[in-house]
């Protein structure tokens, strides 16, 4: 199965770009913070990394891991700005502000897995300070459960100008994904419909299932997979999981 394809939906890319372009193009007097949420497995991270690789020059991209504390996050931002972090958190913060303000255009700060900011009030408030002191647009991307908490940080949330939700893949997206990722076998339209129904349009589950489709096709010497084949594949996988 192809590993080099950008995996997400056409509509979700459009939604992602709507938010990013909105905060990037907001006038100087306007807040420039956007929030994108989506359930797990929809393609948030893939979309973030795709955007970053297309906009390396003026984007700071951080994927927040569970082990990162506030200092870790800001040291990563400073590192992405081209400087090795030194000193305490306040010094790191000041260097971030100084380096951004030296730029002709402030970079977009794109933070994936932002749900991990939910209990990091200091990090959220420091992001607000960076935004206010530099004019850098900020885009938070994460799962929906962090929204109620982020809304409690009133000073930060009052600066959020746009919120959007990425949604499960539509049938046309599933069909496109199957065609692009699977090299050795093709799926009928009925099979694609079953694939969407059984996975609820979840990108991660679709990709995993397409891997199983290729294995099934090799084992059964098939070049075309129809809906009955796909139902067998799901039945086999369910049996293995039980």
């Amino acid at each position: 199965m192809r590993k080099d394809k950008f995996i997400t939906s056409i509509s979700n890319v459009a939604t992602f770009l709507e938010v990013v372009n909105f905060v990037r193009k907001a006038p100087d007097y306007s807040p420039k913070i956007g929030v994108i949420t989506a359930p797990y497995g929809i393609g948030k991270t893939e979309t973030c990394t795709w955007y970053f690789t297309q906009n390396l020059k003026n984007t700071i991209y951080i994927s927040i891991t569970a082990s990162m504390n506030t200092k870790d996050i800001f040291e990563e931002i400073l590192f992405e700005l081209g400087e090795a972090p030194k000193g305490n958190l306040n010094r790191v913060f000041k260097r971030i502000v100084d380096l951004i303000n030296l730029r002709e255009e402030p970079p977009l700060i794109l933070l994936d897995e932002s749900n991990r900011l939910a209990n990091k009030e200091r990090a959220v408030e420091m992001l607000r300070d960076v935004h206010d002191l530099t004019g850098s647009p900020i885009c938070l991307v994460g799962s929906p459960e962090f929204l109620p908490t982020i809304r409690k940080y009133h000073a930060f949330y009052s600066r959020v100008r746009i919120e959007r939700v990425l949604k499960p893949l539509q049938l046309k997206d599933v069909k496109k994904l199957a065609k692009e990722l699977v090299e050795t076998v093709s799926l009928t339209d009925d099979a694609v419909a079953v694939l969407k129904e059984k996975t609820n349009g979840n990108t991660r589950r679709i990709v995993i299932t397409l891997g199983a489709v290729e294995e099934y096709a090799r084992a059964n010497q098939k070049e075309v997979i129809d809906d009955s084949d796909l139902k067998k594949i799901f039945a086999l996988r369910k049996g293995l999981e039980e």
Side-chain angles (χ1 to χ4, degrees):
M1 190 163 70
R2 295 286 299 273
K3 304 291 187 181
D4 59 342
K5 286 291 183 179
F6 169 46
I7 302 169
T8 190
S9 78
I10 298 166
S11 56
N12 282 344
V13 169
T15 300
F16 184 93
L17 291 176
E18 177 192 4
V19 175
V20 169
N21 291 335
F22 184 93
V23 296
R24 274 198 184 276
K25 296 176 181 178
D28 290 340
Y29 60 80
S30 172
K32 303 175 183 179
I33 299 178
V35 174
I36 299 172
T37 60
Y40 293 104
I42 295 300
K44 298 184 296 294
T45 297
E46 289 84 357
T47 307
C48 285
T49 54
W50 167 79
Y51 180 84
F52 177 58
T53 58
Q54 304 298 311
N55 298 273
L56 292 170
K57 186 177 179 180
N58 212 28
T59 302
I60 296 169
Y61 171 53
I62 307 293
S63 182
I64 301 171
T65 64
S67 64
M68 293 172 78
N69 59 28
T70 297
K71 187 178 181 184
D72 295 329
I73 294 168
F74 282 84
E75 285 183 338
E76 282 288 319
I77 293 173
L78 183 55
F79 182 79
E80 290 299 318
L81 284 166
E83 184 167 302
K86 294 179 182 178
N88 60 26
L89 181 55
N90 185 55
R91 184 175 176 183
V92 169
F93 170 80
K94 287 182 176 179
R95 284 303 294 156
I96 289 171
V97 172
D98 289 344
L99 288 173
I100 291 177
N101 282 331
L102 287 173
R103 293 195 176 194
E104 183 177 344
E105 179 184 352
L108 169 73
I109 299 174
L110 177 61
L111 300 178
D112 189 19
E113 302 292 352
S114 289
N115 41 290
R116 288 173 173 150
L117 290 172
N119 298 312
K120 293 181 172 66
E121 182 175 4
R122 189 180 188 188
V124 173
E125 292 300 325
M126 287 179 66
L127 284 171
R128 175 171 67 89
D129 289 338
V130 170
H131 168 272
D132 291 355
L133 293 170
T134 67
S136 264
I138 296 175
C139 185
L140 304 184
V141 182
S143 50
E145 65 264 20
F146 90 104
L147 273 178
T149 303
I150 216 77
R151 286 171 179 155
K152 294 178 182 177
Y153 304 140
H154 300 298
F156 180 89
Y157 190 69
S158 69
R159 289 161 172 77
V160 174
R161 290 291 312 283
I162 183 170
E163 293 181 38
R164 292 292 184 269
V165 178
L166 304 187
K167 298 179 180 179
L169 271 60
Q170 301 173 9
L171 186 62
K172 64 181 180 181
D173 297 316
V174 178
K175 187 174 182 177
K176 180 175 180 286
L177 203 58
K179 185 176 180 180
E180 291 186 349
L181 291 186
V182 179
E183 299 178 284
T184 59
V185 64
S186 61
L187 279 69
T188 66
D189 288 346
D190 287 341
V192 172
V194 171
L195 179 59
K196 180 186 181 300
E197 177 189 354
K198 293 288 188 180
T199 61
N200 294 316
N202 184 285
T203 308
R204 186 176 299 138
R205 293 176 63 193
I206 290 169
V207 172
I208 292 170
T209 303
L210 289 174
V213 164
E214 285 198 327
E215 292 177 5
Y216 175 89
R218 283 194 295 269
N220 293 277
Q221 298 182 332
K222 280 182 166 281
E223 295 182 356
V224 178
I225 298 293
D226 60 22
D227 56 334
S228 62
D229 291 314
L230 206 56
K231 288 174 182 177
K232 289 177 185 177
I233 292 167
F234 277 107
L236 286 169
R237 289 184 60 206
K238 184 178 179 181
L240 290 172
E241 292 169 359
E242 289 177 347

